[in-house]
Amino acid sequence: MAIDLRSDTVTLPSPRMREAMARAEVGDDVFGEDPTINALEALVAARAGKEAAVFVASGTMGNLSSLLAHAQRGQEVVLGDESHIYHYEAGGASALGGLVFHPVATRDDGVMPIEAIAAALRPSAEWLAPPGVICVENTHNRCGGAIMTPEHVAAVGQLARAHGLPVHLDGARLFNAAVALGLPLTAWTSHVTSVQLCLSKGLSAPVGSLICGPAPFVNEARRMRKILGGGMRQAGVIAAPAILALTDMVARLADDHRHARILADGITSLPGVVLDPPEVDTNIVVFRMPGVAQAEALEEALEREGVLVSNFGGGRLRAVTHDGITEADCRAAVEVMARVHGLLRGGERG
Ligand SMILES: Cc1ncc(COP(=O)(O)O)c(C=O)c1O
């Protein structure tokens, strides 16, 4: 069996999740009558310290419904130039919502400096697209699972309030940040207007994310979900394992973080390979090879040996730990990396 480090999205539902799916009480969720979805939404809204929540099919749908609910056509979405929404969500907010992306330079640790965000908020003028919403991401995917501090999110919230703007937090992996720092989700969510939380990544639910926020915002996000074709009917069958993701799977994220450190320590010992960013806060290890060709060669050679990683481009590879990866898998992956990397370097010299 391959050691699959491409993403924590490859996690499989547990046997308890599959049983819960079979037993789930269901109803028509567009009529608000699915008791399992209603329970999930109430549970997650409470965890996030928000008035309401809505269950959506994916993180992408959660972010898109949120942006469409917050901003009007022609307004700007101020977001990080390394953010998932900007890179990997197919430009949905522009394509479907007429929103304009205003990317802000992101530091290695996933932070957009407050002054940079402030500079991106255009003043009111006939010829300028006005800001509609500010987005932050925590943990930060392309910045190696970096944790953004609650203090920084508080500063973003303060800036946004001063400009009368909402803040949306892409918290696809906010539970990882919470477990790593031993803090409740509210340490971050209390400073933002809305948050999107994925249950289908490290938490291993087969499907789904929740958007949480004030009730009027969530009602509008629910309407946007319907416009996007995401109004679901007897979807309690997927809400049931999502509830177990919250009760059974959160604490074990600490194992993923420990395993990521084992990978990181092994990777830093390979000549010419550097962690990028240098810190590993959670379950994502991003490392840089001396060049694009070397990264591709290593990725392919690892795949032939049954170790799968993903390629971020620009010579950067990503390895992610999750429920399907044991400590022994990490040690085995490091051994394979050392061997394959040594062979490739030998080949280069020869
Ligand atoms: C930070 C971040 N946000 C959003 C998403 C989108 O989630 P989904 O794949 O469920 O659409 C991902 C997916 O990996 C992600 O890493």
Side-chain angles (χ1 to χ4, degrees), residues 30-241:
V30 175
F31 296 163
E33 291 173 3
D34 188 302
T36 312
I37 293 189
N38 293 344
L40 172 67
E41 290 178 347
L43 182 65
V44 179
R47 285 273 189 111
K50 296 294 182 196
E51 206 178 351
V54 54
F55 187 44
V56 293
S58 66
T60 301
M61 184 182 276
N63 287 332
L64 180 55
S65 304
S66 299
L67 299 188
L68 296 179
H70 280 311
Q72 305 300 317
R73 297 185 78 79
Q75 287 190 320
E76 289 196 337
V77 178
V78 175
L79 80 181
D81 64 349
E82 289 291 342
S83 64
H84 194 278
I85 295 176
Y86 187 54
H87 275 267
Y88 299 129
E89 298 184 12
S94 300
L96 304 180
L99 303 181
V100 183
F101 285 131
H102 188 143
V104 173
T106 307
R107 289 194 325 226
D108 275 3
D109 60 358
V111 163
M112 295 179 276
I114 296 297
E115 317 75 65
I117 302 175
L121 303 177
R122 300 184 193 276
S124 173
E126 190 186 327
W127 53 90
L128 297 175
V133 57
I134 301 173
C135 296
V136 288
E137 181 176 318
N138 193 20
T139 64
H140 200 293
N141 177 29
R142 280 183 62 84
C143 294
I147 298 174
M148 189 176 294
T149 62
E151 292 72 25
H152 181 72
V153 179
V156 176
Q158 204 176 5
L159 175 73
R161 275 193 301 283
H163 287 79
L165 290 170
V167 179
H168 174 69
L169 168 57
D170 177 357
R173 295 185 183 82
L174 189 63
F175 281 101
N176 290 82
V179 167
L181 296 193
L183 294 173
L185 297 185
T186 50
W188 293 273
T189 55
S190 59
H191 306 297
V192 300
T193 320
S194 60
V195 59
Q196 182 277 118
L197 299 164
C198 285
L199 304 181
S200 63
K201 304 206 160 48
L203 300 182
S204 302
V207 184
S209 285
L210 285 108
I211 313 168
C212 311
F217 160 79
V218 169
N219 287 341
E220 187 59 7
R222 205 179 273 284
R223 197 171 75 82
M224 292 303 154
R225 179 188 71 163
K226 184 69 179 157
I227 287 177
L228 296 172
M232 297 183 279
R233 303 294 178 175
Q234 288 73 27
V237 290
I238 53 172

Side-chain angles (χ1 to χ4, degrees), residues 314-331:
R316 291 167 86 220
L317 297 175
R318 182 184 78 160
V320 185
T321 54
H322 52 79
D323 190 35
I325 298 294
T326 63
E327 180 173 335
D329 289 332
C330 292
R331 297 200 187 283

Side-chain angles (χ1 to χ4, degrees), residues 217-278:
F217 160 79
V218 169
N219 287 341
E220 187 59 7
R222 205 179 273 284
R223 197 171 75 82
M224 292 303 154
R225 179 188 71 163
K226 184 69 179 157
I227 287 177
L228 296 172
M232 297 183 279
R233 303 294 178 175
Q234 288 73 27
V237 290
I238 53 172
I243 290 174
L244 289 177
L246 293 161
T247 56
D248 292 7
M249 306 301 281
V250 174
R252 61 150 305 285
L253 293 174
D255 295 338
D256 297 344
H257 302 166
R258 195 167 46 80
H259 295 161
R261 280 251 47 98
I262 294 172
L263 284 179
D265 290 346
I267 289 168
T268 37
S269 67
L270 305 177
V273 185
V274 288
L275 297 181
D276 181 11

